[in-house]
Amino acid sequence: MDLKTKRWLILIASVVINLCIGSGYAWSVFAKPVIAALGCTAAAAALAFTISNGVGPITMITGGRIQDKVGPKWVIFFGAFMFGGGVLLAGFSTSVSWLYMSYGVIMGLGMGIIYSCTVANTVKFFPDKRGLVAGIATAGYGCGSIIVPPLANSMIASMGILNTFKTLGIAYIIIIAVFSFFIQTAPANYKPEGWNPPAPTATSTVSGVDKNWNQMLSDPMFYVLFLMLTAGAFSGLMIISQASPIIQEVTKVTPAAAAVGVSLLAMANTFGRIFWGAVSDRIGRYPALIVMYIIAGAATLSLSSIGSFGTFIAAIMFVGFCFGGTMGIFPALTADMFGPKNNGVNYGIMFCGFALAGYLGPILAASIKASNGNYTMAFMIAASMSIIGVVLTLIVQNKNKKDRAARSLEAKA
């Protein structure tokens, strides 16, 4: 089988692996049972989700460097025991501190090391379809929160929250370890037969220059993109982390009905990664991001005045749809801006913007609910973050146009 065909099998394996680690997005289904089992507050329970997202970039960065030396297959294999083991150990929780260490730290580190390999390595195989394939690869990550919520809700009802963690943890170890052997290292500067990279245009995001992490951090545009990622992930992570409690609180439905809402949110998140990734390949990353920020901001703001279940779910699905698009676009955008060669490490550093949103969003929602008795102010703050995202994107887009124009004049001279 030639590599141009085999790369699609590698993509499928990456999607299955990401489906497992993406189950971390199903945290909102576990939140209330964990609160009941450990006797903690909602904010204390939410910290487990925040920690898992916060520590992920640590191993995304180190995992990116290690995979360059030993290949992604063995890094993912090792990560299977970290991620699945963390979930398994969460099943032995008797205190929130144990939950933080198992579900938060160990699972989060495993999530980061696996994600850095599946996404960065797969994107290298598809220089001709970066946006689409980054969207598909990360869609597996979002898909985990489609399948897991109803399954976990049923498991929790029959065997309790702790046994559910144990069962899921063992399943994750087996699935990720097996599919890791289908992963292959992308050749340096791989280019599929018959494809030639298009020439840069005035609105192109492709710099054509490979930068290492030191060079990337010395580029002011890195920090603007970092904040753009934080702004794009903020509302999505705030709602995803608290989706089940928020749906139950605002629309007054049962946990089972809320679990359906969580799955619908996850479907929107997953589809958004593929849809916006493909769209960004056609219209450009920045125009796609601007549209997403506007839709997400409007949908988040509307949540403060909606009470019916159907309308509320539709609104949070729009938020998830655009959040997924942001997460699908940014691996490709990072490779466009700083080159694909070091994208494993570079995107790991860029992903710290996601971790920042993963800390601020969930904690903000839980804290505002505790102090105000509702989520209205949290929704308004999240909507304002989308406005910031639009402004920052316009700044980067304008600078890129000026840089292209200046290089064009130099070439003519």
Side-chain angles (χ1 to χ4, degrees), residues 41 58 93 159 187 193 256 339:
T41 64
I58 297 173
S93 297
M159 66 176 69
E193 186 179 349

Side-chain angles (χ1 to χ4, degrees), residues 2 4 7 128 190-197:
D2 69 319
K4 189 174 182 180
R7 63 180 182 160
D128 51 333
Y190 172 72
K191 187 175 68 172
E193 186 179 349
W195 178 81
N196 292 306

Side-chain angles (χ1 to χ4, degrees), residues 211 215-228 286 330 337-338 350 392-393 395-400 403:
K211 294 186 178 182
Q215 294 168 324
M216 181 181 72
L217 291 178
S218 66
D219 187 337
M221 284 300 100
F222 162 76
Y223 300 95
V224 181
L225 291 177
F226 180 94
L227 293 175
M228 285 166 55
Y286 299 129
F330 260 85
M337 181 69 77
F338 306 110
M350 183 70 73
L392 293 174
T393 305
I395 290 173
V396 178
Q397 190 176 33
N398 185 57
K399 183 180 184 302
N400 280 358
D403 289 346

Side-chain angles (χ1 to χ4, degrees), residues 24-386:
Y25 277 142
W27 170 253
S28 67
V29 173
F30 301 132
K32 282 199 170 184
V34 164
I35 292 169
L38 302 182
C40 60
T41 64
L47 188 55
F49 177 84
T50 298
I51 292 172
S52 68
N53 283 291
V55 302
I58 297 173
T59 42
M60 282 189 70
I61 297 169
T62 56
R65 294 180 68 88
I66 295 170
Q67 74 163 310
D68 290 338
K69 296 181 178 180
V70 304
K73 177 191 298 182
W74 295 109
V75 179
I76 293 172
F77 183 79
F78 173 74
F81 292 90
M82 288 188 67
F83 179 81
V87 179
L88 173 62
L89 289 173
F92 295 92
S93 297
T94 56
S95 64
V96 289
S97 58
W98 181 273
L99 183 71
Y100 295 159
M101 181 56 64
S102 57
Y103 194 96
V105 176
I106 299 175
M107 187 200 79
L109 291 173
M111 184 189 304
I113 200 169
I114 293 171
Y115 191 70
S116 69
C117 293
T118 55
V119 176
N121 183 65
T122 306
V123 167
K124 291 178 183 178
F125 274 107
F126 293 88
D128 51 333
K129 299 178 177 66
R130 272 186 194 156
L132 173 62
V133 169
I136 293 173
T138 59
Y141 194 61
C143 197
S145 50
I146 298 175
I147 297 172
V148 172
L151 175 63
N153 196 59
S154 176
M155 292 171 68
I156 292 168
S158 62
M159 66 176 69
I161 182 63
L162 298 184
N163 285 329
T164 297
F165 279 143
K166 293 173 185 176
T167 304
L168 289 174
I170 293 171
Y172 294 148
I173 291 173
I174 295 171
I175 295 170
I176 297 171
V178 168
F179 276 88
S180 69
F181 287 95
F182 291 91
I183 302 298
Q184 180 176 324
T185 305
N189 301 314
Y190 172 72
K191 187 175 68 172
E193 186 179 349
W195 178 81
N196 292 306
T201 65
T203 59
S204 173
T205 59
V206 181
S207 68
V209 178
D210 281 305
K211 294 186 178 182
N212 60 30
W213 68 272
N214 278 313
Q215 294 168 324
M216 181 181 72
L217 291 178
S218 66
D219 187 337
M221 284 300 100
F222 162 76
Y223 300 95
V224 181
L225 291 177
F226 180 94
L227 293 175
M228 285 166 55
L229 177 55
T230 301
F234 188 91
S235 59
L237 286 173
M238 183 186 78
I239 292 172
I240 287 170
S241 69
Q242 308 285 319
S244 184
I246 287 176
I247 293 169
Q248 291 178 59
E249 168 72 23
V250 175
T251 65
K252 311 303 180 185
V253 296
T254 65
V260 173
V262 173
S263 290
L264 290 172
L265 170 61
M267 288 176 64
N269 176 8
T270 302
F271 179 66
R273 293 166 189 251
I274 300 172
F275 176 84
W276 289 113
V279 168
S280 74
D281 280 338
R282 292 181 175 274
I283 70 171
R285 315 281 185 232
Y286 299 129
L289 279 169
I290 289 172
V291 175
M292 285 188 288
Y293 285 130
I294 292 172
I295 294 174
T300 306
L301 186 62
S302 72
L303 294 175
S304 59
S305 59
I306 296 174
S308 68
F309 178 75
T311 308
F312 191 84
I313 296 302
I316 65 171
M317 285 179 70
F318 273 114
V319 176
F321 180 61
C322 296
F323 165 75
T326 301
M327 302 315 300
I329 283 178
F330 260 85
L333 183 59
T334 306
D336 288 347
M337 181 69 77
F338 306 110
K341 180 179 178 181
N342 304 299
N343 203 41
V345 176
N346 289 349
Y347 184 60
I349 297 172
M350 183 70 73
F351 201 74
C352 291
F354 173 92
L356 179 60
Y359 172 78
L360 296 175
I363 294 298
L364 179 77
S367 299
I368 289 177
K369 173 62 170 64
S371 60
N372 295 354
N374 58 62
Y375 295 99
T376 300
M377 184 58 67
F379 295 148
M380 295 177 69
I381 293 173
S384 68
M385 290 294 289
S386 294

